[in-house]
Amino acid sequence: EPEVTQTPSHQVTQMGQEVILRCVPISNHLYFYWYRQILGQKVEFLVSFYNNEISEKSEIFDDQFSVERPDGSNFTLKIRSTKLEDSAMYFCASNLNRGYTFGSGTRLTVV
Amino acid sequence: AQKVTQAQTEISVVEKEDVTLDCVYETRDTTYYLFWYKQPPSGELVFLIRRNSFDEQNEISGRYSWNFQKSTSSFNFTITASQVVDSAVYFCALIPGDNYGQNFVFGPGTRLSVLP
């Protein structure tokens, strides 16, 4: 069964550093997403991406965040200058006709 | 506004008991999709079920069953004869509208502990 692959599974970074979280969506999917889950809390929508541009973003997705699909297979989330409160699990997802698939997540720890 | 409420924050049961996890949703859309996901301690989101707003039939899959009632905007999940491996956080989620690309609205989750 096709999978959404996220790397790394766990990343530790120092406050103020830039971090890039990587995702490989399912190849024929058209919509791509990033979600965030702060420890012990619910999963929150960050951004959706379609046709090489952002289609929707939440209020969490401020200027510190950016997304890119650099080569047609990868889908990345960049956090420019990490803060302690960016520590969370980040899930990538992709979708074709409402067949959603989540990756297994990247746990980001900002120290 | 779109919202999903899971009033039970934590539930503990003893193995073999039945347990029902409640989910109440809010949306103005007439077309929408409801989901349940399981999040075990390892952290990944495991898909359990998807139901669209036009299909009110209850569903049973092994020990799992779901009761969808539009009249009360509820989509409850029952585990029959619970097992220790069912211990996890369970999320109910909503995709409002008919747009293929619409994002999820998740509930806050219910942490289920099944004790041996």
Side-chain angles (χ1 to χ4, degrees):
Chain A
E1 189 172 321
E3 289 184 345
V4 173
T5 304
Q6 289 188 243
T7 55
S9 56
H10 192 183
Q11 180 152 359
V12 181
T13 189
Q14 288 205 326
M15 193 168 55
Q17 294 294 304
E18 175 183 285
V19 66
I20 297 176
L21 309 183
R22 302 181 191 279
C23 169
V24 179
I26 294 173
S27 60
N28 64 334
H29 282 194
L30 300 178
Y31 297 89
F32 313 110
Y33 311 82
W34 284 100
Y35 289 82
R36 179 183 83 174
Q37 185 185 28
I38 294 171
L39 186 64
Q41 298 187 22
K42 68 178 179 182
V43 181
E44 299 174 291
F45 168 70
L46 289 178
V47 65
S48 58
F49 193 86
Y50 171 71
N51 203 23
N52 286 319
E53 60 183 22
I54 290 174
S55 53
E56 192 171 351
K57 59 183 181 179
S58 73
E59 57 193 24
I60 303 170
F61 193 87
D62 61 21
D63 292 344
Q64 291 296 310
F65 292 92
S66 62
V67 289
E68 207 176 31
R69 189 156 159 80
D71 55 20
S73 63
N74 291 284
F75 179 51
T76 61
L77 174 70
K78 183 194 289 187
I79 309 175
R80 265 182 262 289
S81 177
T82 49
K83 309 186 212 51
L84 293 176
E85 54 264 37
D86 293 325
S87 295
M89 179 79 97
Y90 290 81
F91 291 102
C92 175
S94 67
N95 165 29
L96 178 69
N97 294 339
R98 300 190 199 86
Y100 292 85
T101 303
F102 281 90
S104 54
T106 294
R107 185 170 299 282
L108 177 66
T109 303
V110 182
V111 297
Chain B
Q2 335 286 355
K3 188 178 176 183
V4 176
T5 302
Q6 295 178 255
Q8 304 145 309
T9 307
E10 293 191 36
I11 301 176
S12 285
V13 299
V14 177
E15 207 170 18
K16 297 185 185 173
E17 285 185 8
D18 298 348
V19 58
T20 295
L21 309 183
D22 297 333
C23 172
V24 173
Y25 61 92
E26 292 176 35
T27 179
R28 292 182 184 167
D29 293 283
T30 54
T31 300
Y32 51 89
Y33 298 82
L34 296 165
F35 297 74
W36 276 94
Y37 281 87
K38 174 182 179 180
Q39 187 175 45
S42 49
E44 73 272 24
L45 292 169
V46 179
F47 169 79
L48 296 178
I49 191 171
R50 179 181 89 182
R51 173 66 77 231
N52 74 53
S53 53
F54 299 110
D55 183 0
E56 281 194 78
Q57 283 191 339
N58 292 332
E59 177 147 342
I60 298 174
S61 175
R63 296 184 298 106
Y64 295 169
S65 62
W66 290 269
N67 184 309
F68 176 29
Q69 291 198 340
K70 285 177 78 169
S71 59
T72 55
S73 297
S74 64
F75 186 43
N76 296 338
F77 172 34
T78 297
I79 303 174
T80 302
S82 58
Q83 300 176 359
V84 173
V85 293
D86 296 326
S87 297
V89 180
Y90 291 85
F91 290 97
C92 181
L94 163 73
I95 292 182
D98 205 26
N99 179 347
Y100 282 132
Q102 192 68 20
N103 55 279
F104 282 92
V105 176
F106 280 87
T110 296
R111 180 177 299 277
L112 174 64
S113 299
V114 181
L115 308 173

